[in-house]
Amino acid sequence: EPEVTQTPSHQVTQMGQEVILRCVPISNHLYFYWYRQILGQKVEFLVSFYNNEISEKSEIFDDQFSVERPDGSNFTLKIRSTKLEDSAMYFCASSRSNQAFHGYTFGSGTRLTVV
Amino acid sequence: AQRVTQPEKLLSVFKGAPVELKCNYSYSGSPELFWYVQYSRQRLQLLLRHISRESIKGFTADLNKGETSFHLKKPFAQEEDSAMYYCALRRETSGSRLTFGEGTQLTVNP
């Protein structure tokens, strides 16, 4: 069964540094998402991406965040200047369409620790 | 704004017992409801979606618009059902976000 692949699985970075989280969505999927889960809290939506542009973003997704699909296969999330509160599990997801019966496929996540 | 509530953070049952994980939502439109499961150290996996009216691994969930609920049920719990379960809602507009509940950690004891 096709999978969404995320790298790295763990990332430790110093406060103020830039990080790039990488995701390879399923090849025939057209909709891409980033979610995050702070330890002990619920999974929160960050951003959705379709047709090479952001289609929706949450209030969490401020100017420190950006997304890109640089080469038609990778889908990246960049945090420009990390803060301690950015420490979380970051999940990438993709979907073939916007129809509910297709659902989302999630990656296994990247655990980001900001020290 | 939409909201999903899972009132039980922890739920513990014995093997063979019935289990019900509660999910309530608030949304003024016609939502799409899902249940996701996360086994220990694994990724979030789609378990059920309300429009499919399917049964996966013995689990079922019925959307009750009157009570704004989408409770997950299984008549006979198995030890391998132990996991974190998340209820999620999506608005009917295309490509929109999933809003998750806080999750319920289900433990099925032998």
Side-chain angles (χ1 to χ4, degrees), chain A residues 28-39:
Chain A
N28 63 349
H29 284 188
L30 301 175
Y31 294 79
F32 314 113
Y33 309 85
W34 283 102
Y35 288 78
R36 80 170 185 191
Q37 185 177 30
I38 295 171
L39 187 64

Side-chain angles (χ1 to χ4, degrees), chain A residues 4 35 37 56 98 101 104, chain B residues 49 86 90 94 96 98:
Chain A
V4 173
Y35 288 78
Q37 185 177 30
E56 190 178 4
N98 54 29
F101 58 80
Y104 291 33
Chain B
R49 46 204 143 198
Y86 293 96
R90 192 169 78 171
S94 59
S96 62
L98 280 173

